[in-house]
Amino acid sequence: MSETVETVETHAAEPAPAAPSLASLDTLRTVAARILERRARDPFANPVMAIAMRLSRQLDDGTITFADIAGLIRTLRDEALIARAGRLRRYVGLDNPVPVEARFEELAARLVRPDPQDSPVPFAQFRRAVERARFSAVFTAHPTFAVKPEVYAAIAAIADTPGTALPPIDSHRPSPPTLDDEFIWATAAMSRGRDAIDRLNRAMIAAAADCWPQSWRSVLPCPITLSSWVGYDTDGRTDIGWSDTIRLRLRMKSLQLSRLRTQLDTLDDTATAALRTRLDTALDTVAAQIAACPSNPTPEQSADFARALIGGASDAIRNPDDLAADFNAAMDALPPAGQISLATFRAGLVGHGMGLAHTQVRLNATQLHNVVRQRLGLTDSPEHPARRRALLAAINEHLDTTVAVPVDIGAILVEQTSAARLMMTVAQIAKHIDTASPVRFLIAETEGGYTLLAALWLATLFGIADRIEISPLFETADALERGAQVIEEALRSPHWRAYLRRTGKMALQFGYSDSGRYVGQLAATYLIERLRLKVVDLLVRHKLTEVEVILFDTHGESIGRGAHPFSLADRLDYISPIRSWQYFLSNGLALREESAIQGGDGYLLMGTERLAEATIATIAAHAFSQTLDPKGPDTDPVYDEPDFSADFFTAVATEMQALVEDPGYAAVLGAFGPSLIDRTGSRPPARQSDGGSVSARIRHPRELRAIPNNALLQQLGWCANTLQGLGAAAARHPETFDALRDNSPRFRRALDFAEHALAHSSTDVLRAIVVSLDPGVWLDRADHATDPAHRQALVGVARALERFDLWAITQSMFRRIQSDHLALRVAWPDMPQMALDTLLLHAIRIALIDHLWTLSTRIPYFSPRHGVTREALDDMILRLEIPTAQRVLAEAFPASAEISQTLDFGEPGPQMQEASYSREHAEIFRPIQTCFDLIREISIAVAHDIGAFG
């Protein structure tokens, strides 16, 4: 039976007059449960569409109102939020019966005495264990600011203290955040993170003081640190200028100084008087520098700022060592308890330098290639394999002879290339703001060693090669496949090897959102793990085992961004498996891990003091696990089946890549998907392109940014980037799949992603969306309609969808997904299914879209306005681009008369009629807006339900 027939029969089988009102959530749940029961007996039924059509009919005939629908959404949304808060509490380990303070103290005690019955370790060994940074949490401004700040605060409060009442918040939808908003929210979370790190460090210092009373004062623990690229990420955006980056970096410095100054207020005034005086002067100086930093720099303003920056550099304190003498004097004057506190404060300063967190900047590889092309005349594209060797030789020759040139603010002001401007900006930070801390220089879309050497040449030119940590970002399938070759191309250069030896570190970054959306999350993680092991082999081959390797996993808080769904401990073990750790250690390589805390969702991990403490405690346990609990040889059976692993994850990647290239996949993402979500960051959600007032149709997923792409999959009810290909992969080796699912911790953690995705995915939801794009279904509904006006409305929608022309390709795409899902059901018969309340949210939204589209057919005809025809307006409405459509309608149909009838025009005139369209606004335009607002509110509820955005 065709999709069209099954839908019509489902609708026809539900006579509207006899149906009970669905205004009550209990009634809706009862009716939906009965419909789902029939689904089990009728393979042609679509329960989501059946529920949606019942709701739509009752909206049409007035049985239920928008207020009723809003009440249903509000209840489902708030229940989802409370459940999300409970999961967050469990996720970070806040429900652990052992208090966090005791966990910190136990960890510190074990570092002093790994065996409680044995003697303590040598003092030098303890210092080596606690004074090396082992893990950094990197705060980013990824666009996951998906709800209002007060909603995030409510989630954190309920997670912190179960039973806390959810405050009445009518809408959870966010306003578009600014970069300054993101900075403020990030630094608030960082401050809580720093407080938790101080408690960890204090436990270590106290344990050292107890064991080594004569030596402990020299201990400066910093095993866990924080970093940030909020305000420093220029990849793909032009709205962050050099002055913005420097201003925000100065604010980070001010926050660090303020933090220390406030901490000193808890100690004896006399003992810390000199320190407080220095800090007061520094804070005043930095405040003056921030005030002088121009927002839209002119040459004169820039010169004034440069003088303030350079002239005040000494008073502003550029290095923690500048305060060493004052710290030592204060320590001598304080009692023992005060000494431990001051040592803790000092450790926080030394561990983070002159900033609340360490600095990471980011740009795109293409930006580096452009500056090299402009300054060195290397015009060949590094993407051409035939020219790669020549380019590598040429850049090495330039590195042979490059001499550093001076850099000032004036040079930044006139520089035309973004990469050179950013490197010059970093030089100013390194010279005048913080001379102690290296700056991470992240390069997105690195796909060749030439890019790394280009960055090294630029840093050498500006005299800061040894002050930055150049890091490639591997985030595409090709980059992950070729990552080892990229690194080896750089390692063949004597300049790159010398750079690594001088700095003592090699930094690498792995992206999960982009790689996962193209090859699937599970396959992406497999490729990343394989690349990590190859890095060890490369460093051993090039005799660079003295270099510390920094591995930055840029994953977020959702399965679509590579985060394990069930616990932070599992998340850390998943991205850094035991086998990988052991391979580094067995080859004599020190390893530092970094993990992203992405946007609003990520900041929840440190949303309260107690959440931050639990997060840091979990991170610390992971970071010291190989020191305190060294495992024997990893016996996970998945590593005994390398052929299965390679074949399984290759099958996943192949199927996902085929889906990405399916035109129906882009069509269903772009039909109205982008309009389902609010803007959740300070950068646009789609790649920008020239065009008119009507958005261009999305032709390929690459036209969307990764996080909005992932968010749309959640809203469409199918987490394809986690699920697609699993069925095909499992079908190839069903027995091995079953065995590893039961016996392999590594494979089980991977399938946890699928388990969570399946619990929030439904082919019935996706099918209902695809069906709603079929003009034939709307004509079949018109054929069964008894009301002439409603029949005409249905025909109008059908005609508009005919022009849309998406049905055939989206149905073909759906069959691809359904086929793979059926294969997975065979291999995994007890796999999870979408919960009833989640299904109801999707059904309510489809009902609202149905109602909105039919309402739009009542819009009167109008002549083209600024190039927007009636047909173009129909397209906007089908895409749910309602804010744009409302602007067109407001101009075409003014809500009120533009000329007051009280004005005197000098002579008698006719009796003027009300020249407005108030009726159209009341009966059509405002109801359309109400539908749209409720649709967006449902998207928030879905994000709460799955636990994260994107």
Side-chain angles (χ1 to χ4, degrees):
M1 185 179 293
S2 72
E3 183 74 51
T4 298
V5 174
E6 82 169 69
T7 305
V8 173
E9 288 188 351
T10 300
H11 299 164
E14 304 294 341
S21 169
L22 301 180
S24 158
L25 183 56
D26 287 340
T27 302
L28 179 60
R29 284 169 170 157
T30 299
V31 170
R34 286 203 300 266
I35 292 173
L36 284 169
E37 287 174 6
R38 287 199 294 273
R39 169 69 169 90
R41 301 189 301 271
D42 181 1
F44 300 109
N46 186 331
V48 176
M49 187 59 83
I51 297 166
M53 289 302 97
R54 282 197 176 200
L55 287 164
S56 181
R57 280 196 298 270
Q58 293 196 1
L59 263 177
D60 290 340
D61 64 23
T63 303
I64 58 174
T65 65
F66 284 136
D68 295 328
I69 293 289
L72 295 172
I73 295 169
R74 189 180 304 112
T75 301
L76 291 168
R77 179 201 67 192
D78 291 353
E79 289 179 358
L81 180 148
I82 293 168
R84 177 182 185 179
R87 291 194 302 271
L88 173 62
R89 179 180 178 83
R90 295 188 295 275
Y91 193 81
V92 300
L94 196 52
D95 58 346
N96 189 321
V98 180
V100 170
E101 202 69 32
R103 291 159 67 186
F104 286 156
E105 291 170 358
E106 180 185 358
L107 175 62
R110 291 197 61 201
L111 288 168
V112 173
R113 283 187 176 83
D115 182 349
Q117 307 304 317
D118 204 348
S119 302
V121 300
F123 181 60
Q125 180 179 330
F126 176 81
R127 285 191 62 181
R128 285 195 300 272
V130 302
E131 291 186 343
R132 181 176 76 82
R134 296 167 173 268
F135 193 101
S136 185
V138 184
F139 285 76
T140 77
H142 280 84
T144 71
F145 302 93
V147 296
K148 291 177 177 176
E150 54 265 41
V151 177
Y152 277 127
I155 295 170
I158 296 169
D160 183 292
T161 308
T164 299
L166 175 63
I169 304 172
D170 185 51
S171 173
H172 289 191
R173 292 174 58 194
S175 299
T178 65
L179 180 62
D180 196 59
D181 290 332
E182 294 168 349
F183 179 84
I184 291 169
W185 300 331
T187 53
M190 287 179 216
S191 295
R192 291 187 285 268
R194 286 287 304 275
D195 289 343
I197 290 172
D198 279 353
R199 293 183 181 96
L200 170 65
N201 290 345
R202 183 184 181 91
M204 294 177 178
I205 291 169
D210 185 58
C211 188
W212 299 287
Q214 304 304 316
S215 311
W216 72 270
R217 282 173 49 173
S218 62
V219 175
L220 291 170
C222 64
I224 313 299
T225 63
L226 305 182
S227 300
S228 174
W229 78 28
V230 181
Y232 319 134
D233 176 15
T234 62
D235 173 31
R237 57 190 303 177
T238 59
D239 58 320
I240 300 177
W242 66 265
S243 62
D244 299 310
T245 294
I246 290 181
R247 185 187 313 105
L248 293 177
R249 182 60 183 85
L250 285 168
R251 288 172 66 181
M252 291 290 281
K253 181 174 185 175
S254 179
L255 288 167
Q256 173 74 309
L257 294 169
S258 245
R259 177 183 180 80
L260 180 57
R261 180 63 182 81
T262 300
Q263 290 171 326
L264 292 179
D265 285 340
T266 65
L267 303 177
D268 179 75
D269 288 351
T270 303
T272 60
L275 266 175
R276 286 186 285 110
T277 299
R278 289 288 304 277
L279 290 171
D280 287 339
T281 300
L283 281 165
D284 289 342
T285 304
V286 173
Q289 292 172 335
I290 293 170
C293 189
S295 298
N296 298 296
T298 64
E300 293 77 17
Q301 291 172 332
S302 300
D304 291 343
F305 169 64
R307 289 191 294 273
L309 182 67
I310 297 165
S314 179
D315 283 344
I317 308 174
R318 292 180 295 179
N319 193 310
D321 289 347
D322 296 345
L323 296 175
D326 293 325
F327 268 112
N328 290 334
M331 288 285 282
D332 291 338
L334 285 168
Q339 289 179 344
I340 290 176
S341 293
L342 186 61
T344 301
F345 305 157
R346 184 180 184 184
L349 175 68
V350 172
H352 290 87
M354 304 312 301
L356 187 65
H358 289 291
T359 302
Q360 299 193 359
V361 302
R362 187 169 75 147
L363 83 175
N364 195 278
T366 301
Q367 295 169 280
L368 276 171
H369 301 161
N370 287 340
V371 70
V372 172
R373 183 182 301 111
Q374 189 230 30
R375 288 183 176 246
L376 300 181
L378 301 181
T379 58
D380 289 328
S381 171
E383 296 177 1
H384 294 162
R387 300 299 301 158
R388 187 173 292 135
R389 182 172 297 181
L391 284 171
L392 287 166
I395 197 70
N396 271 300
E397 289 175 6
H398 285 289
L399 281 164
D400 288 338
T401 58
T402 296
V403 177
V405 298
V407 176
D408 64 2
I409 295 292
I412 300 176
L413 199 63
V414 300
E415 177 57 47
Q416 297 300 304
T417 61
S418 56
R421 275 199 308 272
L422 182 60
M423 193 70 79
M424 290 176 177
T425 302
V426 171
Q428 296 304 99
I429 292 170
K431 286 189 297 182
H432 305 305
I433 298 176
D434 187 343
T435 63
S437 306
V439 174
R440 183 72 52 77
F441 198 85
L442 303 167
I443 309 169
E445 298 184 2
T446 300
E447 298 196 357
Y450 171 76
T451 303
L452 302 180
L453 297 180
L456 180 59
W457 168 79
L458 192 60
T460 302
L461 180 67
F462 297 140
I464 57 168
D466 295 348
R467 300 296 311 283
I468 67 171
E469 299 165 347
I470 299 169
S471 173
L473 166 55
F474 301 115
E475 57 183 335
T476 65
D478 288 344
L480 292 175
E481 289 282 3
R482 296 187 58 256
Q485 180 182 338
V486 170
I487 297 168
E488 181 145 37
E489 284 179 351
L491 287 173
R492 292 194 190 112
S493 166
H495 299 286
W496 186 256
R497 295 196 303 273
Y499 160 74
L500 295 182
R501 287 194 172 98
R502 288 195 310 272
T503 60
K505 288 171 282 196
M506 181 175 78
L508 304 172
Q509 183 186 8
F510 306 111
Y512 288 73
S513 292
D514 265 310
S515 58
R517 70 176 173 142
Y518 291 125
V519 299
Q521 270 303 328
L522 305 192
T525 306
Y526 169 74
L527 292 173
I528 290 169
E529 181 178 2
R530 193 174 66 174
L531 179 53
R532 287 162 70 113
L533 299 177
K534 290 179 180 178
V535 167
V536 176
D537 297 335
L538 287 172
L539 292 175
V540 169
R541 187 185 314 152
H542 288 275
K543 298 180 172 56
L544 287 167
T545 53
E546 74 276 18
V547 171
E548 179 184 49
V549 180
I550 303 170
L551 301 179
F552 177 15
D553 291 292
T554 321
H555 66 298
E557 281 60 48
S558 76
I559 55 172
R561 290 179 276 128
H564 191 279
F566 299 148
S567 77
L568 181 58
D570 278 325
R571 169 173 166 176
L572 297 172
D573 288 341
Y574 178 72
I575 61 174
S576 184
I578 294 171
R579 178 65 61 100
S580 173
W581 265 92
Q582 291 181 339
Y583 200 54
F584 275 89
L585 297 178
S586 65
N587 283 280
L589 285 159
L591 176 63
R592 185 202 309 178
E593 293 181 276
E594 296 185 347
S595 181
I597 305 292
Q598 290 188 350
D601 286 350
Y603 303 167
L604 276 174
L605 296 176
M606 300 188 187
T608 67
E609 294 292 339
R610 279 162 36 91
L611 286 171
E613 287 174 358
T615 296
I616 294 300
T618 302
I619 289 173
H622 170 81
F624 282 105
S625 61
Q626 293 300 313
T627 300
L628 296 177
D629 299 301
K631 306 290 192 300
D634 185 12
T635 58
D636 193 311
V638 75
Y639 295 105
D640 296 331
E641 302 281 353
D643 292 340
F644 166 81
S645 296
D647 189 66
F648 183 89
F649 293 111
T650 298
V652 170
T654 299
E655 290 294 321
M656 187 65 208
Q657 287 170 322
L659 179 64
V660 168
E661 297 303 324
D662 189 320
Y665 186 60
V668 79
L669 283 173
F672 52 71
S675 296
L676 296 179
I677 55 178
D678 287 296
R679 185 167 172 175
T680 58
S682 61
R683 69 180 186 181
R687 303 292 178 184
Q688 294 176 328
S689 62
D690 294 332
S693 57
V694 181
S695 299
R697 178 180 293 183
I698 292 172
R699 302 292 180 181
H700 193 278
R702 73 172 68 91
E703 296 170 26
L704 288 166
R705 297 188 186 276
I707 289 176
N709 176 97
N710 298 342
L712 297 187
L713 293 174
Q714 295 172 351
Q715 299 301 329
L716 296 174
W718 192 258
C719 299
N721 56 350
T722 303
L723 295 175
Q724 186 64 19
L726 274 180
R732 295 170 70 90
H733 308 278
E735 295 84 4
T736 309
F737 177 82
D738 274 345
L740 293 178
R741 186 158 60 96
D742 293 337
N743 302 313
S744 165
R746 177 70 175 144
F747 194 64
R748 178 65 253 179
R749 284 195 182 100
L751 291 187
D752 286 344
F753 282 70
E755 182 176 328
H756 191 67
L758 287 163
H760 297 87
S761 298
S762 167
T763 52
D764 286 330
V765 172
L766 184 59
R767 184 200 300 267
I769 290 168
V770 170
V771 165
S772 70
L773 298 172
D774 178 13
V777 170
W778 290 81
L779 290 174
D780 286 338
R781 290 174 58 191
D783 192 35
H784 286 73
T786 56
D787 178 67
H790 188 56
R791 181 186 306 119
Q792 190 59 36
L794 296 171
V795 170
V797 175
R799 287 173 178 164
L801 285 170
E802 201 72 61
R803 291 194 304 272
F804 232 32
D805 193 25
L806 296 181
W807 162 246
I809 56 175
T810 54
Q811 176 63 8
S812 173
M813 178 278 306
F814 176 77
R815 289 195 297 270
R816 181 191 294 274
I817 285 176
Q818 187 179 33
S819 175
D820 188 74
H821 183 58
L822 288 171
L824 184 60
R825 286 175 60 187
V826 171
W828 192 352
D830 59 343
M831 64 184 184
Q833 295 183 345
M834 181 179 282
L836 175 62
D837 281 0
T838 311
L839 188 141
L840 288 177
L841 285 168
H842 288 285
I844 294 169
R845 180 162 53 198
I846 290 170
L848 287 166
I849 293 171
D850 181 280
H851 192 70
L852 187 157
W853 283 354
T854 55
L855 263 176
S856 72
T857 63
R858 295 168 55 191
I859 296 172
Y861 181 81
F862 61 91
S863 59
R865 300 270 174 155
H866 303 298
V868 179
T869 63
R870 175 54 196 265
E871 288 74 19
L873 179 70
D874 288 343
D875 283 352
M876 285 182 195
I877 292 172
L878 288 178
R879 297 177 196 273
L880 298 182
E881 294 172 355
I882 302 306
T884 304
Q886 290 284 20
R887 289 193 290 271
V888 174
L889 293 172
E891 182 177 341
F893 306 101
S896 59
E898 297 180 2
I899 301 176
S900 172
Q901 298 184 33
T902 62
L903 292 177
D904 181 3
F905 291 96
E907 61 180 327
Q911 182 67 35
M912 298 181 68
Q913 300 297 316
E914 179 64 32
S916 73
Y917 295 93
S918 56
R919 180 177 176 180
E920 285 79 3
H921 279 263
E923 296 181 1
I924 305 172
F925 305 160
R926 282 200 290 274
I928 284 176
Q929 186 64 46
T930 300
C931 282
F932 177 74
D933 291 339
L934 292 173
I935 287 166
R936 286 273 179 98
E937 201 69 42
I938 288 173
S939 298
I940 301 293
V942 170
H944 285 325
D945 182 64
I946 200 167
F949 179 86

